[in-house]
Amino acid sequence: MPSGEVLPLLDAARRYHAGGRSVVVVAGERYGMGSSRDWAAKGVSLLGARAVLALSFERIHRSNLIGMGVLPLRLPAEFGPERLNLEPGDIVTISASPEEIYPRCPVPVTIRRKDGSSFSFDASAAIETYVEIRTLKAGGILPFILNEVLNSTGKVKRADGDRQ
């Protein structure tokens, strides 16, 4: 928390959400390795994370993050978590307009310190295909599929075959 107060992760995420702020996860190498990947990506999304900044990603977890509408960003090697040295009160700003994202594009990141100083660098979008971009823009795989169904038929097909 900006105040320096130590809270359980869920409580901190709820406070950020109540304050209208997104959560950004900052991680080291092979982020997602060894986790129950699909649930790990769901958890990150449910906490309100809109992006993950990591030195590298486990391949399937990266894809699952995109499926949950979370933007995976690769940190430059020289800007690992230790170098970022984030402190309570620091603000991470990611300038990732959905219209400007493309596979492996540079994404500007600014760290504004509590003391008012700041520095910027470019992360790299850990996106490999244009389908992944469309999935992110839709907000994840479920909204993506729903939009595809609605756009192709104009109606939602029920399980019993009738149209609504």
Side-chain angles (χ1 to χ4, degrees):
M1 296 305 301
S3 66
E5 180 183 4
V6 177
L7 297 172
L9 183 59
L10 183 57
D11 293 343
R14 285 180 176 153
R15 279 204 197 165
Y16 277 107
H17 180 74
R21 294 193 168 233
S22 297
V23 174
V24 176
V25 174
V26 179
E29 294 182 64
R30 296 179 300 223
Y31 177 72
M33 185 75 146
S35 65
S36 175
R37 291 178 217 106
D38 57 340
W39 283 102
K42 290 173 189 165
V44 167
S45 176
L46 290 171
L47 288 172
R50 300 300 302 137
V52 174
L53 286 164
L55 286 169
S56 62
F57 292 88
E58 190 280 331
R59 177 182 56 84
I60 295 170
H61 186 66
R62 180 201 65 81
S63 179
N64 287 338
L65 288 169
I66 292 168
M68 293 307 300
V70 177
L71 176 62
L73 296 169
R74 285 189 184 95
L75 288 165
E78 66 272 18
F79 284 103
E82 298 82 20
R83 168 86 191 288
L84 293 177
N85 193 29
L86 296 172
E87 301 273 336
D90 292 348
I91 297 174
V92 178
T93 302
I94 298 170
S95 301
S97 169
E99 297 77 32
E100 297 173 0
I101 295 290
Y102 57 90
R104 296 171 292 289
C105 70
V107 176
V109 177
T110 301
I111 308 293
R112 192 173 76 227
R113 302 283 186 199
K114 187 176 182 178
D115 67 8
S117 66
S118 67
F119 67 97
S120 298
F121 58 90
D122 283 343
S124 174
I127 301 169
E128 303 300 325
T129 68
Y130 284 95
V131 171
E132 289 180 344
I133 290 170
R134 289 177 48 210
T135 301
L136 276 169
K137 285 182 181 179
I141 194 67
L142 292 177
F144 174 81
I145 291 170
L146 182 59
N147 287 337
E148 290 291 309
V149 169
L150 289 174
N151 289 335
S152 68
T153 65
K155 295 183 179 184
V156 177
K157 187 175 180 181
R158 294 188 339 203
D160 62 11
D162 290 339
R163 294 198 181 265
Q164 295 184 27

